[in-house]
Amino acid sequence: MEQHPTWASTLGDRRWNDRWQDDSLEAIRRRHDHDIETLTKLTKIDRAALSPADQLNYDLFKEDYENDVEGFQYRWYLLPLNQLGGVQTVNQLADALRFESVKDYEDWLARLKALPARIDQTIALMRLGIKQRIVHPKVVLQRVPAQIDHQIVDDPKASPLYKPFARFPSRIAATDQARLAA
């Protein structure tokens, strides 16, 4: 969950609500090494000793990690966005999160402050992909420019990233609401 904080957030695990996934090449390689290590540890579990339900969980878990390890060789990480998601659609995360406390809003602000680094990582991966001739077909990216345009606004309050600050629960004090919205 720590390595995939936005996924953790959508599942309700709020421990890393203040950050994005690290998509630096170093972090990607570390995650890959961890995946290999996890599969090695998994072989030490006696599957036959598990209940039928746990055997199914074991099989699904193993398949997921095997797919990730096998897929690494194809360098999918060099395609960090497509028409369905990427840095151009990060505002959709706000729709999946609960904004119930001051900390929830402060976490979102921390994520917003870290967004330029996430964008830079995306650009770096895409540039490397171009150098290695790993790019999406044109049709896959046709909608991306409009998605980016949707993020560019003159008034910050019109930004889809601002959406959480347009509505606060009544339990958050008016002073905190004003501070957070500003």
Side-chain angles (χ1 to χ4, degrees):
M1 296 294 189
E2 183 178 11
Q3 292 301 309
H4 306 280
T6 55
W7 183 57
S9 295
T10 62
L11 295 176
D13 185 340
R14 299 164 128 179
R15 291 176 287 175
W16 301 283
N17 265 9
D18 61 344
R19 63 188 80 158
W20 303 104
Q21 175 173 300
D22 183 352
D23 279 334
S24 65
L25 283 176
E26 180 183 330
I28 291 167
R29 286 190 185 103
R30 270 195 321 267
R31 283 194 295 272
H32 176 65
D33 291 343
H34 178 266
D35 290 349
I36 293 169
E37 181 183 324
T38 299
L39 281 172
T40 301
K41 289 179 179 178
L42 193 62
T43 63
K44 296 177 181 165
I45 297 174
D46 181 8
R47 183 187 177 281
L50 301 173
S51 70
D54 285 340
Q55 286 180 3
L56 176 61
N57 285 331
Y58 178 100
D59 294 343
L60 293 171
F61 184 85
K62 182 180 177 195
E63 182 179 0
D64 190 38
Y65 273 79
E66 287 172 341
N67 287 339
D68 286 347
V69 168
E70 181 183 358
F72 185 79
Q73 68 183 314
Y74 301 110
R75 298 172 286 175
W76 286 107
Y77 54 87
L78 296 178
L79 301 169
L81 59 84
N82 59 41
Q83 78 282 11
L84 299 176
V87 293
Q88 79 282 8
T89 61
V90 294
N91 61 289
Q92 293 173 353
L93 178 62
D95 294 331
L97 299 178
R98 292 178 293 168
F99 289 92
E100 301 172 340
S101 69
V102 169
K103 182 169 180 355
D104 294 335
Y105 287 90
E106 289 172 341
D107 286 347
W108 183 245
L109 285 170
R111 269 194 171 139
L112 292 179
K113 287 177 185 169
L115 188 55
R118 176 141 168 81
I119 292 169
D120 288 343
Q121 287 178 339
T122 299
I123 292 169
L125 290 173
M126 292 178 75
R127 284 187 173 146
L128 184 57
I130 291 167
K131 282 182 183 176
Q132 295 184 13
R133 301 183 57 80
I134 299 173
V135 296
H136 283 298
K138 184 177 180 179
V139 69
V140 172
L141 299 178
Q142 283 178 335
R143 294 183 180 165
V144 172
Q147 292 169 334
I148 293 169
D149 289 343
H150 182 65
Q151 301 293 337
I152 301 169
V153 294
D154 292 328
D155 178 9
K157 291 182 180 181
S159 169
L161 297 167
Y162 186 84
K163 187 176 178 182
F165 303 103
R167 52 177 168 34
F168 286 93
S170 59
R171 69 177 142 260
I172 294 180
T175 54
D176 284 327
Q177 289 183 27
R179 174 181 62 85
L180 294 165

